[in-house]
Amino acid sequence: MSKSLTELSKFISLILRHKPSAANIELDEHGWANVDELITGINKVNTSNNIDMEKLEEIVRTDNKQRYSFNEDKTLIRANQGHSIPVDVELEEVMPSEYLWHGTATKYMESIDKEGLVPKSRLYVHLSGDVETATKVGKRHGKLLMYKVNSGKMSQDGYKFYRSVNGVWLTKAVPAEYLEKQQN
């Protein structure tokens, strides 16, 4: 993805996950934005880097994290997860595997060991289905710290898990007793 498309993608992420008002648009209760309104809104506030439907489709198609989805006729778009604003992206509850993974930075270890994993400004804690993905995520935040999450036990204990369309596992929180630090 070119630098200008990467910048547009980050701006779209801000709009669709956290601040629709940045493009003077509104999301519906499921996080959907009208594509025409999104394009118009971005072009009004971001005149140096205009977007059209072709660029938007390329951003959605080439995003390596698959952050966005169109509806069937491409009149609506939404972020798949990562919202800090209250939306229901219509996630289905899914039974997790025995273990999931959470990659983060060592600077957060004390807080996590004490409080567990909490969503902070987001609606859900994000977990990975494999060590490789969790490693990539964790390295973005600093010196890698990996936690193995006893998701099977959590599920037995009544915690709910969801899987977004791009494969990210989501849950409301992970108490510390379900976490096991891994040696890197």
Side-chain angles (χ1 to χ4, degrees):
M1 193 179 308
S2 72
K3 184 179 178 192
S4 65
L5 285 184
T6 299
E7 289 171 5
L8 281 169
S9 181
K10 287 179 181 179
F11 189 46
I12 292 167
S13 180
L14 170 75
I15 295 164
L16 297 180
R17 289 175 159 177
H18 312 293
K19 195 173 177 184
S21 62
N24 299 311
I25 66 164
E26 291 185 13
L27 307 180
D28 73 10
E29 68 273 15
H30 300 294
W32 292 107
N34 177 288
V35 168
D36 292 335
E37 291 173 8
L38 177 67
I39 290 170
T40 300
I42 290 172
N43 289 336
K44 279 184 180 174
V45 298
N46 191 13
T47 56
S48 64
N49 194 1
N50 281 347
I51 189 168
D52 57 21
M53 186 62 179
E54 187 177 324
K55 284 182 183 178
L56 184 59
E57 286 177 326
E58 184 177 352
I59 288 167
V60 172
R61 185 180 67 254
T62 61
D63 186 83
N64 62 345
K65 295 180 190 166
Q66 299 175 314
R67 288 181 185 96
Y68 318 107
S69 293
F70 284 116
N71 66 342
E72 284 188 24
D73 63 2
K74 295 186 179 178
T75 58
L76 301 173
I77 186 172
R78 73 176 170 193
N80 291 322
Q81 91 281 321
H83 298 84
S84 61
I85 54 176
V87 295
D88 172 10
V89 291
E90 305 166 293
L91 297 168
E92 286 187 47
E93 189 176 343
V94 179
M95 182 68 70
S97 57
E98 188 68 22
Y99 298 103
L100 294 172
W101 304 90
H102 184 79
T104 189
T106 55
K107 62 186 172 190
Y108 302 120
M109 181 173 63
E110 188 177 325
S111 170
I112 292 171
D113 288 351
K114 185 174 155 186
E115 300 176 31
L117 298 172
V118 295
K120 302 272 185 199
S121 63
R122 293 185 174 181
L123 301 178
Y124 296 97
V125 170
H126 293 200
L127 303 171
S128 302
D130 59 79
V131 174
E132 298 79 35
T133 303
T135 298
K136 287 179 194 169
V137 171
K139 285 182 175 179
R140 291 195 322 247
H141 300 287
K143 188 173 188 299
L144 179 64
L145 174 62
M146 184 72 64
Y147 285 95
K148 183 163 91 171
V149 177
N150 192 337
S151 44
K153 176 77 169 117
M154 281 182 68
S155 182
Q156 288 172 1
D157 291 347
Y159 290 87
K160 294 181 179 182
F161 288 84
Y162 308 93
R163 194 161 188 214
S164 70
V165 296
N166 62 347
V168 175
W169 285 90
L170 307 167
T171 192
K172 287 291 186 183
V174 180
E177 63 263 28
Y178 296 102
L179 294 171
E180 181 184 325
K181 266 190 291 242
Q182 300 297 291
Q183 299 299 320
N184 297 327

Coordinates of all heavy atoms in Angstrom, one line a residue, residues 51-111:
I51 N -9.9 11.0 -1.7 CA -10.3 9.6 -1.8 C -11.5 9.5 -2.7 O -12.3 10.4 -2.8 CB -10.5 9.0 -0.4 CG1 -10.7 7.5 -0.5 CG2 -11.7 9.6 0.3 CD1 -10.7 6.7 0.8
D52 N -11.5 8.4 -3.4 CA -12.7 8.1 -4.3 C -13.0 6.6 -4.0 O -12.3 5.9 -3.2 CB -12.4 8.4 -5.8 CG -11.2 7.7 -6.3 OD1 -10.8 6.6 -5.7 OD2 -10.7 8.1 -7.3
M53 N -14.0 6.1 -4.7 CA -14.4 4.7 -4.4 C -13.3 3.7 -4.8 O -13.1 2.7 -4.1 CB -15.7 4.4 -5.2 CG -16.3 3.0 -4.9 SD -16.8 2.9 -3.2 CE -17.4 1.2 -3.1
E54 N -12.6 4.0 -5.9 CA -11.5 3.1 -6.3 C -10.5 3.0 -5.2 O -10.0 1.9 -4.9 CB -10.9 3.6 -7.6 CG -9.9 2.7 -8.2 CD -9.4 3.3 -9.5 OE1 -10.2 3.9 -10.3 OE2 -8.2 3.0 -9.8
K55 N -10.1 4.1 -4.6 CA -9.1 4.1 -3.6 C -9.6 3.4 -2.3 O -8.9 2.7 -1.7 CB -8.6 5.5 -3.2 CG -7.7 6.2 -4.2 CD -7.3 7.6 -3.6 CE -6.4 8.3 -4.6 NZ -6.0 9.7 -4.1
L56 N -10.9 3.7 -2.0 CA -11.5 3.0 -0.8 C -11.5 1.5 -1.0 O -11.1 0.8 -0.1 CB -12.9 3.6 -0.6 CG -13.6 3.1 0.7 CD1 -12.8 3.4 1.9 CD2 -15.0 3.7 0.8
E57 N -11.9 1.1 -2.2 CA -11.9 -0.4 -2.4 C -10.5 -1.0 -2.3 O -10.3 -2.1 -1.8 CB -12.5 -0.7 -3.8 CG -14.0 -0.5 -3.9 CD -14.5 -0.7 -5.3 OE1 -13.9 -0.4 -6.3 OE2 -15.7 -1.2 -5.4
E58 N -9.5 -0.3 -2.8 CA -8.1 -0.7 -2.7 C -7.7 -0.8 -1.3 O -7.0 -1.8 -0.9 CB -7.2 0.2 -3.5 CG -5.7 -0.4 -3.5 CD -4.8 0.5 -4.4 OE1 -5.2 1.4 -5.1 OE2 -3.6 0.2 -4.3
I59 N -8.0 0.2 -0.5 CA -7.7 0.2 1.0 C -8.3 -1.1 1.6 O -7.6 -1.8 2.4 CB -8.1 1.5 1.6 CG1 -7.2 2.6 1.2 CG2 -8.1 1.3 3.2 CD1 -7.7 4.0 1.6
V60 N -9.6 -1.3 1.4 CA -10.3 -2.4 2.0 C -9.6 -3.8 1.5 O -9.4 -4.7 2.3 CB -11.8 -2.4 1.7 CG1 -12.5 -3.7 2.2 CG2 -12.4 -1.2 2.4
R61 N -9.4 -3.9 0.3 CA -8.9 -5.1 -0.3 C -7.4 -5.4 0.1 O -7.1 -6.5 0.4 CB -8.9 -5.0 -1.9 CG -8.5 -6.3 -2.6 CD -8.6 -6.1 -4.1 NE -7.6 -5.2 -4.6 CZ -7.8 -4.0 -5.0 NH1 -9.0 -3.5 -5.1 NH2 -6.8 -3.2 -5.5
T62 N -6.6 -4.4 0.3 CA -5.2 -4.6 0.5 C -4.8 -4.5 2.0 O -3.6 -4.7 2.3 CB -4.3 -3.7 -0.3 OG1 -4.6 -2.3 0.0 CG2 -4.5 -3.9 -1.8
D63 N -5.7 -4.1 2.8 CA -5.3 -3.9 4.3 C -4.9 -5.3 4.8 O -5.7 -6.2 4.9 CB -6.5 -3.3 5.0 CG -6.1 -3.0 6.5 OD1 -5.6 -2.0 6.7 OD2 -6.4 -3.9 7.3
N64 N -3.7 -5.4 5.3 CA -3.1 -6.6 5.7 C -3.8 -7.1 7.0 O -3.7 -8.3 7.4 CB -1.6 -6.6 5.9 CG -1.2 -5.6 7.0 OD1 -1.9 -4.7 7.4 ND2 0.1 -5.7 7.4
K65 N -4.5 -6.3 7.8 CA -5.2 -6.7 9.0 C -6.7 -6.9 8.7 O -7.4 -7.1 9.7 CB -4.9 -5.7 10.1 CG -3.5 -5.6 10.5 CD -3.3 -4.6 11.6 CE -1.9 -4.3 11.9 NZ -1.6 -3.1 12.7
Q66 N -7.1 -6.6 7.5 CA -8.5 -6.8 7.1 C -9.4 -6.0 8.1 O -10.3 -6.5 8.7 CB -8.9 -8.2 7.1 CG -8.1 -9.0 6.0 CD -8.5 -10.5 6.1 OE1 -8.5 -11.1 7.2 NE2 -8.7 -11.1 4.9
R67 N -9.1 -4.7 8.3 CA -9.8 -3.9 9.3 C -11.2 -3.6 8.9 O -12.0 -3.3 9.7 CB -9.0 -2.6 9.5 CG -7.8 -2.7 10.2 CD -7.2 -1.2 10.3 NE -5.9 -1.3 10.9 CZ -4.7 -1.3 10.3 NH1 -4.7 -1.3 8.9 NH2 -3.6 -1.3 10.9
Y68 N -11.5 -3.6 7.6 CA -12.8 -3.0 7.1 C -13.6 -4.1 6.3 O -13.0 -5.0 5.7 CB -12.6 -1.8 6.2 CG -11.5 -0.9 6.7 CD1 -10.2 -0.8 6.2 CD2 -11.7 -0.1 7.9 CE1 -9.3 0.0 6.7 CE2 -10.8 0.8 8.4 CZ -9.5 0.8 7.8 OH -8.6 1.6 8.3
S69 N -14.9 -3.9 6.3 CA -15.8 -4.7 5.5 C -16.8 -3.8 4.8 O -17.3 -2.8 5.4 CB -16.6 -5.7 6.4 OG -15.8 -6.6 6.9
F70 N -17.2 -4.1 3.6 CA -18.3 -3.5 2.9 C -19.5 -4.4 3.1 O -19.4 -5.6 3.3 CB -18.0 -3.5 1.4 CG -17.1 -2.4 0.9 CD1 -15.8 -2.7 0.3 CD2 -17.4 -1.0 1.0 CE1 -15.0 -1.7 -0.1 CE2 -16.5 -0.1 0.6 CZ -15.3 -0.4 0.0
N71 N -20.7 -3.8 2.9 CA -21.9 -4.7 2.8 C -21.9 -5.2 1.4 O -21.0 -4.9 0.6 CB -23.2 -3.9 3.2 CG -23.5 -2.8 2.2 OD1 -22.6 -2.3 1.4 ND2 -24.7 -2.3 2.2
E72 N -22.9 -6.0 1.0 CA -22.9 -6.7 -0.3 C -22.8 -5.8 -1.5 O -22.1 -6.0 -2.5 CB -24.1 -7.6 -0.4 CG -23.9 -8.9 0.4 CD -25.0 -9.9 0.1 OE1 -25.7 -9.8 -0.9 OE2 -25.2 -10.7 1.0
D73 N -23.5 -4.6 -1.4 CA -23.6 -3.8 -2.6 C -22.6 -2.6 -2.5 O -22.6 -1.6 -3.3 CB -25.0 -3.3 -2.9 CG -25.6 -2.4 -1.8 OD1 -24.9 -2.2 -0.8 OD2 -26.7 -2.0 -2.0
K74 N -21.7 -2.6 -1.5 CA -20.7 -1.6 -1.2 C -21.2 -0.2 -1.0 O -20.6 0.7 -1.4 CB -19.6 -1.7 -2.3 CG -18.8 -3.0 -2.4 CD -17.7 -2.9 -3.4 CE -17.0 -4.3 -3.4 NZ -15.9 -4.3 -4.3
T75 N -22.4 -0.1 -0.5 CA -23.0 1.2 -0.1 C -22.6 1.6 1.3 O -22.8 2.7 1.7 CB -24.5 1.2 -0.3 OG1 -25.1 0.2 0.5 CG2 -24.8 1.0 -1.8
L76 N -22.2 0.5 2.1 CA -21.9 0.8 3.5 C -20.5 0.1 3.8 O -20.1 -0.8 3.2 CB -23.0 0.1 4.4 CG -24.4 0.6 4.3 CD1 -25.3 -0.3 5.2 CD2 -24.5 2.0 4.7
I77 N -19.9 0.7 4.8 CA -18.5 0.2 5.2 C -18.5 0.3 6.7 O -19.1 1.2 7.3 CB -17.4 1.0 4.5 CG1 -16.0 0.4 4.9 CG2 -17.5 2.5 4.9 CD1 -14.9 1.0 4.1
R78 N -17.7 -0.6 7.4 CA -17.5 -0.5 8.8 C -16.1 -1.1 9.1 O -15.6 -1.9 8.4 CB -18.6 -1.1 9.6 CG -18.6 -2.6 9.6 CD -19.7 -3.2 10.5 NE -19.9 -4.6 10.3 CZ -20.9 -5.3 10.8 NH1 -21.8 -4.7 11.5 NH2 -21.0 -6.6 10.6
A79 N -15.6 -0.7 10.3 CA -14.5 -1.4 10.9 C -14.9 -2.7 11.5 O -16.0 -2.8 12.1 CB -13.8 -0.5 11.9
N80 N -14.1 -3.7 11.3 CA -14.5 -5.1 11.8 C -14.4 -5.2 13.3 O -15.2 -6.0 13.9 CB -13.6 -6.1 11.2 CG -13.9 -6.3 9.7 OD1 -15.1 -6.2 9.3 ND2 -12.9 -6.5 8.9
Q81 N -13.5 -4.5 14.0 CA -13.4 -4.5 15.4 C -12.5 -3.4 15.8 O -12.0 -2.6 15.0 CB -13.0 -5.8 16.0 CG -11.5 -6.0 16.2 CD -10.7 -6.3 14.9 OE1 -11.2 -7.1 14.1 NE2 -9.6 -5.8 14.8
G82 N -12.3 -3.2 17.1 CA -11.3 -2.1 17.6 C -12.0 -0.8 18.0 O -11.3 0.2 18.2
H83 N -13.3 -0.8 18.1 CA -14.0 0.4 18.4 C -13.9 0.9 19.8 O -13.8 0.0 20.7 CB -15.5 0.2 18.1 CG -15.9 -0.2 16.7 ND1 -15.8 -1.5 16.2 CD2 -16.3 0.6 15.7 CE1 -16.1 -1.5 15.0 NE2 -16.4 -0.2 14.6
S84 N -13.8 2.2 20.0 CA -13.9 2.7 21.3 C -15.3 3.4 21.5 O -15.6 3.9 22.6 CB -12.8 3.8 21.5 OG -12.9 4.8 20.6
I85 N -16.1 3.4 20.5 CA -17.4 4.0 20.6 C -18.4 2.8 20.6 O -18.1 1.8 20.1 CB -17.7 4.9 19.4 CG1 -17.5 4.3 18.1 CG2 -16.9 6.2 19.5 CD1 -17.8 5.1 16.8
P86 N -19.5 3.0 21.3 CA -20.5 1.9 21.4 C -21.2 1.5 20.2 O -22.1 2.2 19.7 CB -21.4 2.3 22.5 CG -21.4 3.8 22.5 CD -20.0 4.2 22.0
V87 N -20.8 0.4 19.5 CA -21.5 -0.1 18.4 C -21.6 -1.6 18.5 O -20.8 -2.2 19.2 CB -20.8 0.2 17.0 CG1 -20.8 1.7 16.7 CG2 -19.4 -0.3 17.0
D88 N -22.5 -2.2 17.9 CA -22.7 -3.7 17.9 C -22.4 -4.2 16.5 O -23.2 -4.1 15.6 CB -24.1 -4.0 18.3 CG -24.4 -5.5 18.2 OD1 -23.5 -6.3 17.9 OD2 -25.6 -5.9 18.3
V89 N -21.2 -4.7 16.3 CA -20.8 -5.2 15.0 C -21.3 -6.6 14.7 O -20.8 -7.3 13.9 CB -19.2 -5.1 14.8 CG1 -18.8 -3.6 14.6 CG2 -18.4 -5.8 15.8
E90 N -22.3 -7.0 15.5 CA -23.0 -8.2 15.2 C -22.1 -9.4 15.3 O -22.2 -10.3 14.4 CB -23.8 -8.1 13.9 CG -24.7 -6.9 13.8 CD -25.2 -6.6 12.4 OE1 -24.4 -6.2 11.6 OE2 -26.4 -6.8 12.2
L91 N -21.3 -9.5 16.3 CA -20.4 -10.6 16.5 C -21.2 -11.8 17.0 O -22.1 -11.7 17.9 CB -19.3 -10.3 17.5 CG -18.4 -9.2 17.1 CD1 -17.6 -8.7 18.3 CD2 -17.5 -9.6 16.0
E92 N -20.9 -13.0 16.5 CA -21.5 -14.2 17.1 C -20.6 -14.8 18.1 O -19.4 -14.8 18.0 CB -21.7 -15.2 15.9 CG -22.8 -14.9 15.0 CD -23.0 -16.0 14.0 OE1 -23.1 -17.2 14.4 OE2 -23.1 -15.7 12.8
E93 N -21.2 -15.3 19.2 CA -20.5 -16.0 20.2 C -19.9 -17.2 19.7 O -20.6 -18.0 19.0 CB -21.4 -16.3 21.4 CG -20.6 -16.8 22.6 CD -21.5 -17.0 23.8 OE1 -22.6 -16.4 23.9 OE2 -21.0 -17.7 24.7
V94 N -18.6 -17.5 19.9 CA -17.9 -18.6 19.4 C -17.1 -19.3 20.5 O -16.5 -18.6 21.4 CB -16.9 -18.2 18.3 CG1 -16.1 -19.4 17.7 CG2 -17.6 -17.5 17.2
M95 N -17.1 -20.6 20.5 CA -16.3 -21.4 21.5 C -14.8 -21.3 21.1 O -14.5 -21.7 20.0 CB -16.8 -22.8 21.5 CG -16.0 -23.7 22.5 SD -16.5 -23.3 24.2 CE -18.1 -23.8 24.3
P96 N -14.0 -20.8 22.0 CA -12.6 -20.6 21.7 C -11.8 -22.0 21.8 O -12.3 -22.9 22.4 CB -12.1 -19.6 22.7 CG -12.9 -20.0 23.9 CD -14.3 -20.3 23.4
S97 N -10.6 -22.0 21.3 CA -9.8 -23.1 21.5 C -9.3 -23.1 22.9 O -9.6 -22.2 23.7 CB -8.6 -23.1 20.5 OG -7.9 -21.8 20.7
E98 N -8.6 -24.1 23.4 CA -8.2 -24.2 24.8 C -7.3 -23.0 25.2 O -7.5 -22.6 26.3 CB -7.4 -25.5 24.9 CG -7.0 -25.8 26.4 CD -8.3 -26.2 27.2 OE1 -9.3 -26.6 26.7 OE2 -8.1 -26.1 28.5
Y99 N -6.5 -22.6 24.2 CA -5.6 -21.4 24.6 C -5.7 -20.4 23.4 O -5.7 -20.7 22.3 CB -4.2 -21.9 24.8 CG -4.0 -22.8 25.9 CD1 -3.9 -24.2 25.7 CD2 -4.1 -22.3 27.2 CE1 -3.7 -25.0 26.8 CE2 -4.0 -23.2 28.3 CZ -3.8 -24.5 28.1 OH -3.7 -25.4 29.1
L100 N -5.7 -19.1 23.8 CA -5.5 -18.0 22.9 C -4.3 -17.3 23.4 O -3.7 -17.6 24.5 CB -6.7 -17.1 22.9 CG -8.0 -17.8 22.3 CD1 -9.2 -16.9 22.5 CD2 -7.8 -18.1 20.8
W101 N -3.8 -16.3 22.6 CA -2.6 -15.6 22.9 C -2.8 -14.1 22.9 O -3.6 -13.5 22.2 CB -1.5 -16.0 21.9 CG -1.3 -17.4 21.9 CD1 -2.0 -18.3 21.1 CD2 -0.5 -18.2 22.7 NE1 -1.6 -19.6 21.3 CE2 -0.7 -19.6 22.3 CE3 0.4 -17.9 23.7 CZ2 0.0 -20.6 22.9 CZ3 1.1 -18.9 24.3 CH2 0.9 -20.3 23.9
H102 N -2.0 -13.4 23.8 CA -2.0 -11.9 23.8 C -0.6 -11.4 23.8 O 0.2 -11.7 24.8 CB -2.8 -11.4 25.0 CG -2.9 -9.9 25.0 ND1 -3.8 -9.3 24.3 CD2 -2.2 -9.0 25.7 CE1 -3.7 -8.0 24.5 NE2 -2.7 -7.8 25.3
G103 N -0.2 -10.7 22.7 CA 1.1 -10.1 22.7 C 1.0 -8.7 23.1 O 0.1 -8.0 22.6
T104 N 1.9 -8.2 23.9 CA 2.0 -6.9 24.4 C 3.4 -6.5 24.7 O 4.3 -7.2 24.3 CB 1.0 -6.7 25.6 OG1 0.9 -5.3 25.9 CG2 1.5 -7.5 26.8
A105 N 3.6 -5.4 25.4 CA 5.0 -4.9 25.7 C 5.2 -5.2 27.2 O 4.3 -5.1 28.0 CB 5.1 -3.5 25.4
T106 N 6.5 -5.4 27.5 CA 6.9 -5.6 28.9 C 6.5 -4.5 29.8 O 6.2 -4.7 31.0 CB 8.4 -5.9 29.0 OG1 9.1 -4.8 28.4 CG2 8.8 -7.2 28.3
K107 N 6.4 -3.3 29.3 CA 6.1 -2.1 30.1 C 4.7 -2.2 30.7 O 4.3 -1.5 31.6 CB 6.2 -0.8 29.3 CG 5.3 -0.7 28.1 CD 5.6 0.6 27.3 CE 4.8 0.6 26.0 NZ 5.3 1.6 25.1
Y108 N 3.8 -3.1 30.2 CA 2.5 -3.3 30.7 C 2.3 -4.4 31.7 O 1.3 -4.7 32.2 CB 1.5 -3.4 29.6 CG 1.5 -2.3 28.6 CD1 1.8 -2.5 27.2 CD2 1.2 -1.0 29.0 CE1 1.8 -1.5 26.3 CE2 1.2 0.0 28.1 CZ 1.5 -0.2 26.8 OH 1.5 0.9 25.9
M109 N 3.4 -5.1 31.9 CA 3.4 -6.4 32.7 C 2.8 -6.2 34.1 O 2.0 -7.0 34.5 CB 4.8 -7.0 32.8 CG 4.8 -8.3 33.6 SD 6.4 -9.1 33.5 CE 7.5 -7.9 34.3
E110 N 3.3 -5.2 34.8 CA 2.8 -5.0 36.2 C 1.3 -4.8 36.3 O 0.6 -5.4 37.1 CB 3.6 -3.8 36.8 CG 3.3 -3.7 38.3 CD 4.1 -2.5 38.9 OE1 5.2 -2.2 38.5 OE2 3.5 -1.9 39.8
S111 N 0.8 -4.0 35.4 CA -0.6 -3.7 35.3 C -1.4 -5.0 35.0 O -2.4 -5.3 35.6 CB -0.9 -2.6 34.3 OG -2.3 -2.5 34.1

